[in-house]
Amino acid sequence: MMTTVFDVQQYRKDFPALSQKVYGKPLVYLDNAATAQKPQCVIDTLDRYYSAENANIHRGIHYLSQKATDAFDEARDKVARFINAKESREIIFVRGATEGINLVAQSYVRPLLKPGDEILITWMEHHSNIVPWQMVAEQTGAKLKVTPINDAGELILPEFEKLLSEKTKLVSVTHISNALGTINPVKKIIQMAHALSVPVLVDGAQSVPHQAVDVQDLDADFFVFSGHKLFGPTGIGVVYGKAEHLEKMPPYQGGGDMISAVTFEKTLYNKIPYKFEAGTPHIAGVIGLGSAIDYVSAIGMSRISAYEHELLEYGTRALSKIPGLRLIGTAKEKASILSFVLEAAHPHDIGTILDQEGVAIRAGHHCAMPVMERFGVPATVRASFAFYNTHEDIDALVRAINKVFEVFR
Ligand code: 7TS
């Protein structure tokens, strides 16, 4: 078997933003869980679309409209193949993971819920996978149940099993925690839920950029993610839903393109996926996302995971040597996120000092306030890696942390 070297320096050249300096220092971009940088091919795709192919889709019969429509449809096929959906019509374009979860909450879960029914989530969810369920619970009289996590930041599966019941109408769980890096055993969770005929939504916002995803192998009922964390444009995201669910769901929003016929007496809805895509979509975003998927697929998601795992191990070893540094999130199964606090300084002050050194991280609660509460910290510093990060980036992070000690001596 041929083994290929992971040529990170070559890949870095594809990302123009990475070669810049900030405050006269080379940018070390470690905020990939918030959003990822874009390769030139994605930027070129957007440029080409707006320069030469801009037209609305599905409406015109003219040349440009046909071209844009073909590119749009092709991108839907690419997304379907990327996550191994059975059919392209199971792919719905939305603004991002957040809108995707809201769509499932309002169109799938809300009509099912009666007072006393339950939605089961976990303690490590992003606010986007908490608040839409609270809203739908308030609208229907249902209850939100939360699976606890242990001190390493792993789900406590026996507790999950106890909380699952015939009252549970949906389980919604993140594939990878944005605040802790924990990789959840979603396949097992789905099996446990399906044993009681409970459908499962997987929040894949943090997983699709870092590992291969196969929605059929997982047997997920719904799977959502955002394009911008996958090296694609902002404002575009995906809901995968099994066709059998999507067929039964009412539309999320009303408007153009989601209908097959309108009279003032009655509107007949379009077939899936169009039923869920009211109005002119983010055409450039969809085509740009297709280009991002081509780009990462050519590198190979399993090679990306293997390389990032090595980065994580190197980073974990390096940070563990720093006196007074406490890692928040030490799960056995972890993705390339290092969240930590220092005894010496507040995360926001650390963030400011790191920024001055050119090291971009996020300091705060990471839209996961219950996680912060669970670990008894107001905030953490979070370094999150992508496949274009290097061992030198981690060395720069460690040097910048040492500066913090100089300031807060
Ligand atoms: N789910 C998870 C697990 C996330 O990490 C995020 C964004 C979302 C949902 C929402 O995605 P959006 O694209 O709709 O906003 N997470 C982060 C983060 O960790 N820092 O900034 C955004």
Side-chain angles (χ1 to χ4, degrees), residues 33-34 96-98 126 128 174 178 203 205-206 226 228-229 362 382:
T98 301
H126 186 278
S128 292
T174 195
N178 70 316
D203 174 356
Q206 296 293 347
S226 294
H228 68 96
K229 296 185 203 279
R362 184 170 173 192
R382 180 188 68 183

Side-chain angles (χ1 to χ4, degrees), residues 171-191:
V171 167
S172 193
V173 58
T174 195
H175 202 169
I176 294 181
S177 156
N178 70 316
L180 301 166
T182 310
I183 304 175
N184 281 318
V186 284
K187 188 167 175 177
K188 178 140 195 235
I189 287 170
I190 291 169
Q191 279 166 355

Side-chain angles (χ1 to χ4, degrees), residues 4 9 31-32 40 65 69 112 148 168 212 262 265-266 274 295 306 339 342 355 362 366 397:
T4 47
Q9 291 305 335
D31 196 17
N32 295 285
Q40 191 62 48
S65 173
T69 306
L112 294 178
T168 317
V262 177
E265 288 69 43
K266 186 166 175 58
Y274 313 110
Y295 178 81
S339 239
L342 288 182
D355 177 49
R362 184 170 173 192
H366 317 296
L397 170 68

Side-chain angles (χ1 to χ4, degrees), residues 131-384:
V131 184
W133 308 119
Q134 282 175 330
M135 289 166 70
V136 84
E138 208 162 278
Q139 286 156 346
T140 58
K143 286 197 204 101
L144 190 64
K145 295 279 168 175
V146 185
T147 307
I149 58 179
N150 64 22
D151 290 342
E154 297 161 322
L155 275 186
I156 306 174
L157 281 183
E159 295 294 327
F160 173 75
E161 195 157 28
K162 270 192 232 155
L163 286 164
L164 256 183
S165 76
E166 69 286 350
K167 285 192 212 154
T168 317
K169 290 295 173 286
L170 183 94
V171 167
S172 193
V173 58
T174 195
H175 202 169
I176 294 181
S177 156
N178 70 316
L180 301 166
T182 310
I183 304 175
N184 281 318
V186 284
K187 188 167 175 177
K188 178 140 195 235
I189 287 170
I190 291 169
Q191 279 166 355
M192 288 162 83
H194 283 180
L196 292 181
S197 302
V198 178
V200 180
L201 180 150
V202 177
D203 174 356
Q206 296 293 347
S207 63
V208 288
H210 305 289
Q211 63 179 60
V213 167
D214 181 333
V215 290
Q216 289 189 75
D217 179 56
L218 292 177
D219 201 19
D221 295 275
F222 297 97
F223 186 96
V224 303
F225 67 91
S226 294
H228 68 96
K229 296 185 203 279
L230 184 61
F231 317 100
T234 51
I236 190 68
V238 168
V239 174
Y240 156 82
K242 284 183 181 170
E244 65 194 80
H245 297 317
L246 297 178
E247 299 274 18
K248 288 188 207 132
M249 287 158 59
Y252 178 49
Q253 294 177 334
D257 275 343
M258 50 73 72
I259 56 88
S260 64
V262 177
T263 65
F264 287 121
E265 288 69 43
K266 186 166 175 58
T267 289
L268 295 174
Y269 301 129
N270 208 336
K271 56 189 186 196
I272 64 169
Y274 313 110
K275 180 168 83 175
F276 297 102
E277 294 178 351
T280 299
H282 184 5
I283 305 167
V286 167
I287 299 173
L289 173 60
S291 170
I293 286 175
D294 286 343
Y295 178 81
V296 289
S297 302
I299 298 174
M301 292 312 299
S302 52
R303 292 179 71 232
I304 287 177
S305 307
Y307 174 75
E308 288 187 11
H309 191 73
E310 196 189 307
L311 275 186
L312 175 72
E313 289 193 334
Y314 182 78
T316 306
R317 275 197 305 275
L319 291 196
S320 303
K321 287 187 199 137
I322 297 175
L325 185 146
R326 175 182 166 209
L327 277 175
I328 306 290
T330 49
K332 272 188 224 80
E333 296 296 326
K334 244 192 103 169
S336 53
I337 286 175
L338 289 169
S339 239
F340 62 90
V341 290
L342 288 182
E343 275 162 24
H346 189 278
H348 287 114
D349 295 326
I350 301 168
T352 306
I353 295 168
L354 265 49
D355 177 49
Q356 292 298 317
E357 297 302 311
V359 179
I361 50 81
R362 184 170 173 192
H365 53 61
H366 317 296
C367 297
M369 289 175 95
V371 171
M372 300 299 120
E373 196 199 335
R374 169 67 180 76
F375 286 90
V377 293
T380 73
V381 179
R382 180 188 68 183
S384 52

Side-chain angles (χ1 to χ4, degrees), residues 8 14 20 41 65 124 292 294 306 311-312 318 366 383 398:
V8 62
D14 297 331
Q20 66 188 300
C41 61
S65 173
M124 69 175 91
D294 286 343
L311 275 186
L312 175 72
H366 317 296
V398 171

